[in-house]
Amino acid sequence: MERPSRQRQREQESEQNADERVACPECESTNIITDADQGELVCDDCGLVLDERQIDRGPEWRAFNHSERQSKSRVGAPITETMHDRGLTTTIDWKDKDAYGRSLSSEKRSQMHRLRKWQERIRTKDAGERNLQFALSEIDRMASALGVPRSVREVASVIYRRALNEDLIRGRSIEGVATSALYAACRQEGIPRSLDEVAEVSRVPQKEIGRTYRYISQELGLELKPVDPKQFVPRFASALGLSEEVQAKATEIIDVSAEQGLLSGKSPTGFAAAAIYAASLLCNEKKTQREVADVAQVTEVTIRNRYQEQIEAMGFR
């Protein structure tokens, strides 16, 4: 059985030599591995040692599972755009214990309290960083409430930083620009979240979010495609407890309707909701218009209007 260290080194070697491979002069094989224990470069087919006494660039410690690697590793967390200092500053723990887990004396506790206070103060050196710190915390709060993945938070933070550097915040609320950046990030990453849903978790009116979103997307040149109603189908169908058959039928209805140009100028959430309502009737899993409207956050009138258009497009009367 191959040793784990040798297997890891083989994977690293194959990644490093993906573009230019070292060939064995004896058998011309490109299956070359690095034996970290011996410091040798070896042909895995014929066993010829191509190089020896190589420098070991790995850590000086050994670990045999994930928890050991985590405890022995001395590097910090990766750089992130979701923190105003990109996570590069230090923090002082609130446990009031030393490195051995022993409680600190009262004199040391008061000293550490003062150090923590000054540490928090010097993390934001000017008004721009305070602005960024507040905006990124708002983005993180709203992203958590919406349940969007980490990648969306990173993209939203980058968009807000660009808006701040281009001086697009002047004359606008920090919360409004932060919410617009999050909405733009959701659209860029293909995460189906409507403007109504984003406005629900925000502290600014929907009208201001829409106006600010249009402004920053135009000024920053964000290339955002129109929202596809099919992106909302799985989420709405799951909330209604509908089967995959209904989802597939709703997707088909949207495709046929879009081919006939019925999607232009229509709300994607309303269009998806009407398609799900129509599909539930066709698949004998009937849901009322009120149930679908509550999940999609649209009115029953919108569902009825879109439903009639889609049924005519499908050739049903």
Side-chain angles (χ1 to χ4, degrees), residues 186-197:
C186 287
R187 291 192 58 173
Q188 269 195 352
E189 294 295 294
I191 304 298
R193 293 294 183 273
S194 65
L195 193 60
D196 294 330
E197 290 175 294

Side-chain angles (χ1 to χ4, degrees), residues 2-18 21 30-44 54-63 69:
E2 200 172 39
R3 286 187 295 187
S5 62
R6 185 164 180 169
Q7 188 175 359
R8 272 200 310 277
Q9 288 297 331
R10 176 185 289 177
E11 292 172 359
Q12 293 172 0
E13 188 68 29
S14 63
E15 290 173 2
Q16 291 170 0
N17 298 334
R21 293 197 175 268
T30 56
N31 194 10
I32 309 300
I33 63 170
T34 300
D35 188 344
D37 296 333
Q38 303 297 328
E40 295 174 344
L41 198 64
V42 184
C43 174
D44 200 32
Q54 287 191 323
I55 299 173
D56 184 5
R57 302 184 185 278
E60 83 285 358
W61 44 263
R62 295 194 303 169
R69 280 193 292 274

Side-chain angles (χ1 to χ4, degrees), residues 97-112:
K97 292 183 178 181
D98 62 12
Y100 299 100
R102 295 175 299 205
S103 298
L104 301 177
S105 63
S106 58
E107 182 181 352
K108 283 289 183 183
R109 280 200 299 271
S110 61
Q111 182 184 4
M112 296 305 294

Side-chain angles (χ1 to χ4, degrees), residues 252-298:
E252 181 189 345
I253 292 171
I254 292 172
D255 286 335
V256 173
S257 304
E259 287 175 2
Q260 299 186 21
L262 298 179
L263 185 54
S264 178
K266 305 295 193 305
S267 165
T269 51
F271 209 82
I276 289 172
Y277 174 68
S280 68
L281 295 180
L282 293 172
C283 297
N284 294 320
E285 296 184 32
K286 182 173 170 54
K287 295 290 179 182
T288 64
Q289 292 180 1
R290 167 51 55 192
E291 288 176 313
V292 180
D294 288 341
V295 169
Q297 295 181 332
V298 295

Side-chain angles (χ1 to χ4, degrees), residues 83-93 115-116 118-123:
M83 298 178 69
H84 74 282
D85 52 12
R86 292 184 169 86
L88 295 175
T89 58
T90 56
T91 55
I92 300 175
D93 201 0
L115 287 173
R116 283 192 206 98
W118 279 105
Q119 174 70 8
E120 288 298 317
R121 288 176 180 174
I122 64 175
R123 285 185 70 184

Side-chain angles (χ1 to χ4, degrees), residues 184-239:
C186 287
R187 291 192 58 173
Q188 269 195 352
E189 294 295 294
I191 304 298
R193 293 294 183 273
S194 65
L195 193 60
D196 294 330
E197 290 175 294
V198 176
E200 272 192 2
V201 299
S202 178
R203 294 170 179 165
V204 291
Q206 181 178 335
K207 189 175 181 180
E208 182 183 342
I209 297 171
R211 186 169 58 244
T212 308
Y213 162 72
R214 288 190 294 271
Y215 174 71
I216 65 169
S217 60
Q218 181 180 358
E219 291 295 321
L220 296 178
L222 302 178
E223 296 181 0
L224 302 171
K225 298 178 182 178
V227 179
D228 189 353
K230 290 186 289 186
Q231 293 180 336
F232 293 95
V233 171
R235 188 155 59 92
F236 291 169
S238 177

Side-chain angles (χ1 to χ4, degrees), residues 13 15 27 50 61 63 75 96 103 110 122 126 156 181 205 230 242 245 249 266 273 295 305 312:
E13 188 68 29
E15 290 173 2
C27 64
L50 278 70
W61 44 263
V75 297
D96 284 332
S103 298
S110 61
I122 64 175
D126 53 28
K230 290 186 289 186
L242 296 172
E245 181 187 359
K249 193 65 178 177
K266 305 295 193 305
V295 169
N305 292 338
E312 290 177 8

